[in-house]
Amino acid sequence: MSIARQIDKICDEFEASFRAGRPQKLSDVLETSPQELRAELLLRLIEVEVELRLANGQAVAAKDYAAFDDTAVRHAAKVKRRLTENHPFDKVWHRQWDLYSQWHVWPYKVP
């Protein structure tokens, strides 16, 4: 099995356990994974975990990943920023709200 497929399989299992209410620790997943996968696997697992935690309304901070290394911390911050600041729904909603508030005329006069 190729490295990419192995990483995908591990990430899929990690996501499935998270969704089933049994989140795994990243360090535990990495310890049971082959050494040659660990660097790339860590970055992919961070992406999956940050996305899942944000989707569940959980707080995510880059410092949550300080136990690994600076690369992991920077990657977590980048993923969170990408998922929260560039969400297409936010852009559409803000644009619609701007248009609504600019052109909407209330039919009543406030006394």
Side-chain angles (χ1 to χ4, degrees), residues 84-101:
T84 57
E85 292 178 0
N86 295 322
H87 195 281
F89 174 75
D90 291 340
K91 291 180 183 177
V92 170
W93 186 86
H94 286 295
R95 194 172 98 239
Q96 288 176 342
W97 176 255
D98 289 343
L99 290 172
Y100 174 81
S101 60

mmCIF file of all heavy atoms in Angstrom, residues 84-101:
data_model
loop_
_atom_site.group_PDB
_atom_site.id
_atom_site.type_symbol
_atom_site.label_atom_id
_atom_site.label_comp_id
_atom_site.label_asym_id
_atom_site.label_seq_id
_atom_site.Cartn_x
_atom_site.Cartn_y
_atom_site.Cartn_z
ATOM 1 N N THR A 84 -11.701 29.247 9.262
ATOM 2 C CA THR A 84 -12.579 30.217 9.918
ATOM 3 C C THR A 84 -12.672 31.544 9.181
ATOM 4 O O THR A 84 -13.730 32.157 9.151
ATOM 5 C CB THR A 84 -12.136 30.486 11.367
ATOM 6 O OG1 THR A 84 -10.789 30.945 11.380
ATOM 7 C CG2 THR A 84 -12.289 29.240 12.205
ATOM 8 N N GLU A 85 -11.600 32.005 8.583
ATOM 9 C CA GLU A 85 -11.620 33.322 7.961
ATOM 10 C C GLU A 85 -12.071 33.292 6.515
ATOM 11 O O GLU A 85 -12.564 34.279 6.015
ATOM 12 C CB GLU A 85 -10.237 33.970 8.041
ATOM 13 C CG GLU A 85 -9.849 34.329 9.454
ATOM 14 C CD GLU A 85 -8.469 34.927 9.543
ATOM 15 O OE1 GLU A 85 -7.814 35.070 8.488
ATOM 16 O OE2 GLU A 85 -8.057 35.254 10.654
ATOM 17 N N ASN A 86 -11.915 32.202 5.851
ATOM 18 C CA ASN A 86 -12.223 32.154 4.431
ATOM 19 C C ASN A 86 -13.435 31.287 4.122
ATOM 20 O O ASN A 86 -13.527 30.728 3.054
ATOM 21 C CB ASN A 86 -11.016 31.637 3.647
ATOM 22 C CG ASN A 86 -9.862 32.599 3.733
ATOM 23 O OD1 ASN A 86 -10.047 33.804 3.721
ATOM 24 N ND2 ASN A 86 -8.662 32.073 3.836
ATOM 25 N N HIS A 87 -14.327 31.209 5.064
ATOM 26 C CA HIS A 87 -15.497 30.378 4.851
ATOM 27 C C HIS A 87 -16.419 31.072 3.851
ATOM 28 O O HIS A 87 -16.816 32.220 4.061
ATOM 29 C CB HIS A 87 -16.230 30.140 6.170
ATOM 30 C CG HIS A 87 -17.215 29.037 6.091
ATOM 31 N ND1 HIS A 87 -18.449 29.195 5.520
ATOM 32 C CD2 HIS A 87 -17.146 27.753 6.482
ATOM 33 C CE1 HIS A 87 -19.104 28.064 5.572
ATOM 34 N NE2 HIS A 87 -18.335 27.173 6.156
ATOM 35 N N PRO A 88 -16.780 30.429 2.747
ATOM 36 C CA PRO A 88 -17.597 31.086 1.730
ATOM 37 C C PRO A 88 -18.961 31.540 2.240
ATOM 38 O O PRO A 88 -19.484 32.537 1.792
ATOM 39 C CB PRO A 88 -17.754 30.030 0.630
ATOM 40 C CG PRO A 88 -17.242 28.769 1.186
ATOM 41 C CD PRO A 88 -16.438 29.076 2.405
ATOM 42 N N PHE A 89 -19.527 30.824 3.206
ATOM 43 C CA PHE A 89 -20.819 31.221 3.749
ATOM 44 C C PHE A 89 -20.723 32.609 4.379
ATOM 45 O O PHE A 89 -21.609 33.436 4.226
ATOM 46 C CB PHE A 89 -21.317 30.215 4.782
ATOM 47 C CG PHE A 89 -22.583 30.665 5.463
ATOM 48 C CD1 PHE A 89 -23.795 30.597 4.802
ATOM 49 C CD2 PHE A 89 -22.556 31.179 6.746
ATOM 50 C CE1 PHE A 89 -24.963 31.023 5.412
ATOM 51 C CE2 PHE A 89 -23.715 31.601 7.357
ATOM 52 C CZ PHE A 89 -24.921 31.522 6.688
ATOM 53 N N ASP A 90 -19.630 32.846 5.113
ATOM 54 C CA ASP A 90 -19.471 34.144 5.761
ATOM 55 C C ASP A 90 -19.461 35.271 4.740
ATOM 56 O O ASP A 90 -20.079 36.305 4.936
ATOM 57 C CB ASP A 90 -18.172 34.184 6.576
ATOM 58 C CG ASP A 90 -18.241 33.280 7.790
ATOM 59 O OD1 ASP A 90 -19.360 32.932 8.204
ATOM 60 O OD2 ASP A 90 -17.181 32.921 8.309
ATOM 61 N N LYS A 91 -18.741 35.071 3.632
ATOM 62 C CA LYS A 91 -18.670 36.105 2.610
ATOM 63 C C LYS A 91 -20.043 36.356 1.999
ATOM 64 O O LYS A 91 -20.454 37.499 1.825
ATOM 65 C CB LYS A 91 -17.681 35.708 1.518
ATOM 66 C CG LYS A 91 -16.254 35.719 1.981
ATOM 67 C CD LYS A 91 -15.329 35.315 0.848
ATOM 68 C CE LYS A 91 -13.908 35.256 1.341
ATOM 69 N NZ LYS A 91 -12.991 34.809 0.320
ATOM 70 N N VAL A 92 -20.762 35.290 1.689
ATOM 71 C CA VAL A 92 -22.089 35.437 1.088
ATOM 72 C C VAL A 92 -23.030 36.105 2.073
ATOM 73 O O VAL A 92 -23.752 37.041 1.734
ATOM 74 C CB VAL A 92 -22.645 34.061 0.644
ATOM 75 C CG1 VAL A 92 -24.103 34.161 0.260
ATOM 76 C CG2 VAL A 92 -21.819 33.508 -0.495
ATOM 77 N N TRP A 93 -23.032 35.641 3.311
ATOM 78 C CA TRP A 93 -23.933 36.199 4.305
ATOM 79 C C TRP A 93 -23.658 37.675 4.511
ATOM 80 O O TRP A 93 -24.577 38.479 4.533
ATOM 81 C CB TRP A 93 -23.806 35.447 5.623
ATOM 82 C CG TRP A 93 -24.814 35.913 6.622
ATOM 83 C CD1 TRP A 93 -26.092 35.466 6.740
ATOM 84 C CD2 TRP A 93 -24.649 36.935 7.599
ATOM 85 N NE1 TRP A 93 -26.732 36.145 7.746
ATOM 86 C CE2 TRP A 93 -25.878 37.056 8.297
ATOM 87 C CE3 TRP A 93 -23.598 37.755 7.957
ATOM 88 C CZ2 TRP A 93 -26.060 37.951 9.327
ATOM 89 C CZ3 TRP A 93 -23.793 38.659 8.990
ATOM 90 C CH2 TRP A 93 -25.007 38.747 9.659
ATOM 91 N N HIS A 94 -22.393 38.068 4.649
ATOM 92 C CA HIS A 94 -22.059 39.476 4.864
ATOM 93 C C HIS A 94 -22.478 40.325 3.664
ATOM 94 O O HIS A 94 -22.988 41.418 3.826
ATOM 95 C CB HIS A 94 -20.572 39.652 5.161
ATOM 96 C CG HIS A 94 -20.195 39.200 6.527
ATOM 97 N ND1 HIS A 94 -20.663 39.806 7.665
ATOM 98 C CD2 HIS A 94 -19.410 38.179 6.943
ATOM 99 C CE1 HIS A 94 -20.181 39.190 8.729
ATOM 100 N NE2 HIS A 94 -19.424 38.199 8.318
ATOM 101 N N ARG A 95 -22.263 39.805 2.462
ATOM 102 C CA ARG A 95 -22.651 40.551 1.269
ATOM 103 C C ARG A 95 -24.167 40.726 1.219
ATOM 104 O O ARG A 95 -24.668 41.806 0.945
ATOM 105 C CB ARG A 95 -22.144 39.844 0.011
ATOM 106 C CG ARG A 95 -22.231 40.735 -1.213
ATOM 107 C CD ARG A 95 -21.551 40.106 -2.406
ATOM 108 N NE ARG A 95 -22.589 39.484 -3.211
ATOM 109 C CZ ARG A 95 -22.657 38.214 -3.537
ATOM 110 N NH1 ARG A 95 -21.731 37.384 -3.159
ATOM 111 N NH2 ARG A 95 -23.639 37.742 -4.266
ATOM 112 N N GLN A 96 -24.906 39.657 1.540
ATOM 113 C CA GLN A 96 -26.362 39.752 1.535
ATOM 114 C C GLN A 96 -26.852 40.714 2.620
ATOM 115 O O GLN A 96 -27.775 41.487 2.407
ATOM 116 C CB GLN A 96 -26.984 38.376 1.711
ATOM 117 C CG GLN A 96 -26.831 37.508 0.485
ATOM 118 C CD GLN A 96 -27.370 36.108 0.713
ATOM 119 O OE1 GLN A 96 -27.558 35.683 1.823
ATOM 120 N NE2 GLN A 96 -27.589 35.390 -0.375
ATOM 121 N N TRP A 97 -26.246 40.666 3.786
ATOM 122 C CA TRP A 97 -26.649 41.567 4.856
ATOM 123 C C TRP A 97 -26.384 43.015 4.467
ATOM 124 O O TRP A 97 -27.213 43.889 4.699
ATOM 125 C CB TRP A 97 -25.930 41.228 6.154
ATOM 126 C CG TRP A 97 -26.272 42.209 7.225
ATOM 127 C CD1 TRP A 97 -25.497 43.212 7.716
ATOM 128 C CD2 TRP A 97 -27.514 42.314 7.926
ATOM 129 N NE1 TRP A 97 -26.165 43.922 8.672
ATOM 130 C CE2 TRP A 97 -27.411 43.386 8.822
ATOM 131 C CE3 TRP A 97 -28.703 41.593 7.869
ATOM 132 C CZ2 TRP A 97 -28.454 43.764 9.665
ATOM 133 C CZ3 TRP A 97 -29.739 41.965 8.714
ATOM 134 C CH2 TRP A 97 -29.608 43.032 9.594
ATOM 135 N N ASP A 98 -25.239 43.280 3.852
ATOM 136 C CA ASP A 98 -24.927 44.639 3.410
ATOM 137 C C ASP A 98 -25.965 45.135 2.414
ATOM 138 O O ASP A 98 -26.443 46.260 2.511
ATOM 139 C CB ASP A 98 -23.536 44.713 2.781
ATOM 140 C CG ASP A 98 -22.429 44.548 3.816
ATOM 141 O OD1 ASP A 98 -22.714 44.706 5.021
ATOM 142 O OD2 ASP A 98 -21.296 44.266 3.409
ATOM 143 N N LEU A 99 -26.324 44.287 1.465
ATOM 144 C CA LEU A 99 -27.328 44.674 0.473
ATOM 145 C C LEU A 99 -28.690 44.896 1.137
ATOM 146 O O LEU A 99 -29.391 45.853 0.841
ATOM 147 C CB LEU A 99 -27.447 43.624 -0.624
ATOM 148 C CG LEU A 99 -26.254 43.511 -1.567
ATOM 149 C CD1 LEU A 99 -26.430 42.304 -2.482
ATOM 150 C CD2 LEU A 99 -26.087 44.772 -2.387
ATOM 151 N N TYR A 100 -29.044 44.001 2.041
ATOM 152 C CA TYR A 100 -30.331 44.108 2.730
ATOM 153 C C TYR A 100 -30.401 45.398 3.534
ATOM 154 O O TYR A 100 -31.350 46.160 3.440
ATOM 155 C CB TYR A 100 -30.509 42.897 3.648
ATOM 156 C CG TYR A 100 -31.730 42.970 4.528
ATOM 157 C CD1 TYR A 100 -32.978 42.641 4.029
ATOM 158 C CD2 TYR A 100 -31.634 43.384 5.848
ATOM 159 C CE1 TYR A 100 -34.106 42.714 4.822
ATOM 160 C CE2 TYR A 100 -32.749 43.455 6.650
ATOM 161 C CZ TYR A 100 -33.981 43.120 6.137
ATOM 162 O OH TYR A 100 -35.092 43.195 6.917
ATOM 163 N N SER A 101 -29.379 45.655 4.336
ATOM 164 C CA SER A 101 -29.424 46.820 5.209
ATOM 165 C C SER A 101 -29.316 48.115 4.422
ATOM 166 O O SER A 101 -29.817 49.147 4.848
ATOM 167 C CB SER A 101 -28.331 46.739 6.270
ATOM 168 O OG SER A 101 -27.065 46.696 5.656
#
